[in-house]
Amino acid sequence: MNKARFRVREASALALLAGMGALVLSAPAAAQEAEAAPAQAETPPEATGGAIIVTARRREERLVDVPIAVTSFSGEQLAKTGALDVTEIAQSAPNVTLEPSRGTNSTLSAFIRGIGQQDPVSGFEQGVGIYLDDVYLNRPQAAVLDIYDVERIEVLRGPQGTLYGRNTIGGAVKYVTRNMPLDPSIKVRGTLGTYDQADVVVTASTPLTDLIRVGGSFARLSRGGFGDNLTTGEENYNKDIWAGRASLEIGGYGEPVLIKISGDYTKDNSNARGGHRLIPGFASGAPVLDDVYDTRGGLMDPAQYVEAYGLSMNATADLSDSLTLKSISAWRKDSSASPIDFDALPAVDLDVPAYYRNEQLSQEFQLQYDDGGALQALVGFYYLTATADTQFDVRLFTAFDGLTAFTQADVDTDTWAAFADFTLDITDQLSLSGGGRYTWDKRSASILRQNYLGGGSPVFGGAGIPFGEASTNFSGSATFKKFTPRISLSFKPTPDHNIYGGFSQGFKGGGFDPRGVGVNAPTSNPRGIPSDGEIADYLSFDPETVNSYEIGYKGNLFGGDLYVALAAFHMDYSDVQIPGSAGCTVDGIPTFCGVITNAGKAKIDGIELETNATLARDFIGMGDRLTFAGSLGWIDARYTEYEGLIGGEPTDVSDYRKIQNTPEWTGSGTLGYETPVGDGDLSFSSTLSFRSKTYQFEVPNPYLDQGSYALLDASIVYTAPGGNWSLGVHGKNLTDKRYQTSGYTFMAANPLTGELVSPLTPTLGTEGTLTAFYGNPRQVFVTASLEF
């Protein structure tokens, strides 16, 4: 771990933020005097369907006007449904999967339209971009954002490169926090519920002058475990989070300059999530536990934690009536420790203690042109420098007592991009949008893999006695460059109907397998010792690209009482990156190896339907309203080429492989009823969401793959006159459905078909590893809020 490197980055971050503030504050004096459009529009009232305002194209637009598949969730909507964290929006967004990643509450696995990434180790870039107030989160650790102080969340499906700082090949999730009001404000929200849930969120702000406002939020989020670790006595699947945000805003509300400086901090002290064994122990005979939330894993060191914090400055200056400059500067850092007990049994059989440390520094500039006429344009520049360092032991039950394979993988990323996007109104009804992006990515890796005797590596408290030569001792770098275009045509027969079609290309850079074993590289050396070049080729993987074609319709009908969005898409996905790990043999010793590959090609076709309707008004009493919000996603995602090694020979195994974390069908329906009660409002809502069979990995596994299931949620919320206080009761997963979200497998399988061999045979350890993690059981909680 290069601490000096981190200290330099911290100093650079502060200098960069200060420099950007000086740049924006020194905007031309003429801009200060101009009667320009507000740099920040006041939050619009919540509206039905396409009248909702979004910023998917980096400017405020009605949802119906955006020729992109977008789902938007307002903060009020999320509060009324009792949403707890960002993963819940996947229940209502078609063809979207968002899940906590196996052993933690805070690491995110995200997939949109069949493209994503579920491997949290360094070296692998995400397929779905997560943005916190327009700042791209480079790593999945600490990306399961809890929902508090949120203005809205937007989900953009398909490649996003000409409008966003980081090229995202699958889509983007935008988490937008609230701006501060002009008047002093304090809001308190408290929650009590089953499993000892106890949350409190306090948000406060005040103006210091007519131009300067300060404020922040504090959140304490806690819950007992859904189960227990029967070995350690700890609660399993508990929640123990402290979090906060603080902001300083200068300008806005009609002023030509708005500067928002923010800092945030999250500390997740939750216990490690232990998996549930799906088969009895082969050596110990340990039976399968009755409760899927119970575990028996014995690994307790290091203690589980996730800590993340960052600084950002988002500055906007109206240089003239038609020209706006934006600067987004950010520095973020996170670290986490995780005791991963793959076999979920007390003894050491397949245990992996791990550390993850990440840091990033980014800068984005945008120059936007909009004179209210036929042309709107954006030109942008983005720079990111980031480090991702992973350390882990692999502790196996072997004939060599206490033998451990230690890996340290430090992967640095330096990337810059220039991008542009424009919209030209050819006529009042016909618009052409297009743009392009040039991306330059450099990936530098330093990977060390060393066997130790004496209970583990010195990093994790072992005696650290080296055993043999390092099986990997690699340093290298690679650069990837790509131009990716986008174009779309939009026809609006009326202002409330939009028919569009377009093409976009996405790109994700390559890299180096952080778990790869260099001595296993194929070699032409008669002595069997691979050269540095052969090792580099063996550890590296190529970029992947996707060509996406989409046609769609969006419409407001019946005076805005019905909003409909329909999209059909086809994607050609090339050089698909498949990270993973498997049992292997190194120098005659069984161990754990990376098996990343560029699988080949995939084709993805799909249809998405979203609707938001007012079904009736004033039908039981004056002022009441019955509403329905629904979504339906269908996707046919399949590999057309997938090269595997069968008996040492390259073989196409695409007929036996699946696109992971991508159910064929996703859908949801929310029925809502609102009615006046006294001077306040009472709202009822119930949501039924559905997902068809989901494959956890590319190789089907009857133990881990989750069959079709549905979840039922419901809420009742009373809001007092003026919204000064509210009281709500919420139920999640009311039918108490047990469903698997992820898992581990290290069992022998047919190399062609992927079918598990019979009888079941472990490939690592003696107990056999088929371990699953589950979604939350039924939860009921009461939430009260008070604002003054």
Side-chain angles (χ1 to χ4, degrees), residues 5-15 309 331 333 359:
R5 175 179 58 184
F6 278 175
R7 286 194 293 268
V8 169
R9 289 177 186 269
E10 291 175 10
S12 301
L14 296 174
Y309 44 92
W331 166 79
K333 187 174 181 179
E359 188 175 13

Side-chain angles (χ1 to χ4, degrees), residues 439-493:
T439 301
W440 181 92
D441 275 0
K442 181 179 181 182
R443 207 85 68 222
S444 302
S446 177
I447 303 171
L448 172 67
R449 183 184 175 103
Q450 174 68 59
N451 287 335
Y452 288 98
L453 293 173
S457 69
V459 171
F460 294 97
I465 304 170
F467 181 79
E469 298 294 327
S471 55
T472 303
N473 192 359
F474 169 79
S475 293
S477 64
T479 301
F480 311 98
K481 308 172 186 177
K482 183 70 174 178
F483 174 77
T484 50
R486 183 190 76 84
I487 189 167
S488 68
L489 192 65
S490 178
F491 174 66
K492 300 178 68 176

Side-chain angles (χ1 to χ4, degrees), residues 542-564:
D542 295 329
E544 61 181 24
T545 58
V546 65
N547 293 328
S548 178
Y549 307 84
E550 182 174 326
I551 58 173
Y553 164 77
K554 296 182 178 183
N556 280 330
L557 298 89
F558 305 110
D561 279 348
L562 174 63
Y563 168 74
V564 175

